[in-house]
Amino acid sequence: MARIVASPGPTIMLSVGMAVRSQQAQLQFIHQPKPAKFPFGLFTMQLPIHIIDAFTSVQFQGNQAAIVLLEDWLAAPTLQAIATENNLSETSFLVWSPARNAFEIRWFSPLKEIAFCGHATLASAFVLFEAKPERRSITFWAAAVGDITAVREETGRIVMTFPRRDARHLGEVPVALLEGLSPSPDHVWVNQQAYIAVYASEACVRSVKPNLERLKSLGPLDVVVTAPADVGAPYDFVSRYFWPANGGDEDPVTGSIHAALAPYWSEKLNKNVLIAHQASQRTGALFCEVTDSNVKVAGHCARYLTGTITI
């Protein structure tokens, strides 16, 4: 059983977009999971949970992520059960590692553990920076990508540094991909995360109708569609991301794939600093900078909820 509950007493444990107003209401972000005794001799564990809208400065846009901070790792089936119950694009779990001098981070969609997630990393950094305002940088460590650094700017924007995950051109395109996207793309690329379907215009990307059953058959790879922005747009390129095999139908904002999209469009547009727009229903803005070895992906966050999981 998993549920979100409000904590009694002076500490505010459940809020929607509310600032912490006193020391008594200050959030406890990293602590020993607290056992709670219920009637009939039942014991439970209480864990703090934070739901953050990432890659947006306002609520109800961007991509939602749940953040759960642990003292030690719980069993993987328990982590997956929590993520499935949350039913958000991702739930990220954090454990501080003195040996790495970093927060170990793992990401779970409602379906499975994910190798790399950008928006939940941004949301995790937001929670940690909010807990300790004097902090200016954080290092995360994930098995698939190694170290990820996050730096908070004076404006509150958070800049993450990802390894480049460049795509390669795909000469022979899977039939399921062509049948899964209407209209068909002009070119297809691929990296370790997704097929990258390139279109001529922003209008084409916005008009794409996916056949999710056909795209699901391409798993474990996802599918992103992308194009240059319209002339005069306040961003450089657009994308949409479909991942029925790994998490859901359409991801609202996908930070991780910009480790491939930003280098691709950097070369095509002949510029190293780019603004990306994810054209999902919730939309999101990503600020990218491409170097020889890394991609910096930056964005804002907005808090939606603070609470407690009782399991």
Side-chain angles (χ1 to χ4, degrees):
M1 177 180 69
R3 54 196 174 94
I4 297 176
V5 301
S7 175
T11 301
I12 296 174
M13 292 301 294
L14 185 63
S15 63
V16 179
M18 295 179 64
V20 175
R21 300 182 185 275
S22 67
Q23 288 297 322
Q24 288 75 22
Q26 190 170 12
L27 300 174
Q28 183 75 26
F29 285 88
I30 304 175
H31 61 81
Q32 178 84 24
K34 296 180 180 179
K37 187 173 181 179
F38 276 60
F40 314 113
L42 297 177
F43 286 85
T44 64
M45 179 183 294
Q46 293 185 334
L47 302 170
I49 182 171
H50 312 269
I51 298 180
I52 307 297
D53 293 335
F55 291 115
T56 179
S57 57
V58 296
Q59 287 182 335
F60 313 121
Q61 295 182 23
N63 200 354
Q64 291 181 296
I67 315 302
V68 180
L69 295 110
L70 306 169
E71 183 169 288
D72 297 297
W73 287 113
L74 302 177
T78 301
L79 300 179
Q80 183 61 70
I82 292 171
T84 301
E85 185 76 6
N86 289 339
N87 198 31
L88 302 173
S89 288
E90 258 92 13
T91 297
S92 72
F93 298 92
L94 307 175
V95 171
W96 172 251
S97 171
R100 300 186 191 279
N101 194 31
F103 286 94
E104 295 182 356
I105 186 167
R106 294 170 68 180
W107 307 281
F108 287 76
S109 80
L111 300 181
K112 61 178 64 176
E113 185 167 7
I114 301 299
F116 181 28
C117 176
H119 88 276
T121 304
L122 183 70
S124 297
F126 175 83
V127 168
L128 295 170
F129 284 132
E130 191 180 65
K132 192 175 180 181
E134 67 273 19
R135 193 196 308 261
R136 284 292 174 264
S137 66
I138 296 168
T139 301
F140 299 99
W141 180 89
V145 291
D147 287 342
I148 299 171
T149 60
V151 176
R152 183 174 57 176
E153 299 177 328
E154 291 298 327
T155 61
R157 190 176 72 170
I158 297 170
V159 182
M160 302 176 291
T161 301
F162 297 156
R164 285 181 61 145
R165 288 156 64 94
D166 291 48
R168 59 178 176 83
H169 186 260
L170 198 61
E172 186 173 346
V173 180
V175 173
L177 180 62
L178 297 176
E179 293 177 348
L181 296 174
S182 178
S184 296
D186 297 327
H187 308 282
V188 177
W189 297 61
V190 67
N191 78 343
Q192 60 266 59
Q193 179 176 338
Y195 292 102
I196 299 172
V198 181
Y199 288 83
S201 71
E202 180 175 336
C204 289
V205 164
R206 292 182 180 276
S207 71
V208 166
K209 292 179 173 57
N211 181 327
L212 295 170
E213 282 303 312
R214 296 300 287 141
L215 297 185
K216 187 175 183 179
S217 70
L218 297 168
L221 294 182
D222 301 324
V223 176
V224 61
V225 296
T226 187
D230 289 342
V231 175
Y235 42 83
D236 298 291
F237 65 92
V238 298
S239 67
R240 294 171 63 195
Y241 194 92
F242 307 109
W243 62 321
N246 293 309
D249 294 347
E250 181 171 356
D251 198 36
V253 192
T254 315
S256 57
I257 197 58
H258 287 75
L261 291 180
Y264 175 86
W265 288 113
S266 175
E267 180 178 345
K268 298 297 181 183
L269 301 177
N270 194 30
K271 56 193 305 186
N272 291 333
V273 177
L274 307 104
I275 299 175
H277 174 77
Q278 194 142 339
S280 65
Q281 182 176 355
R282 289 175 63 99
T283 73
L286 307 93
F287 304 88
C288 306
E289 181 178 353
V290 180
T291 70
D292 290 340
S293 59
N294 301 110
V295 176
K296 294 182 179 181
V297 178
H300 297 276
C301 288
R303 175 175 289 281
Y304 171 70
L305 181 146
T306 302
T308 303
I309 302 172
T310 301
I311 56 174

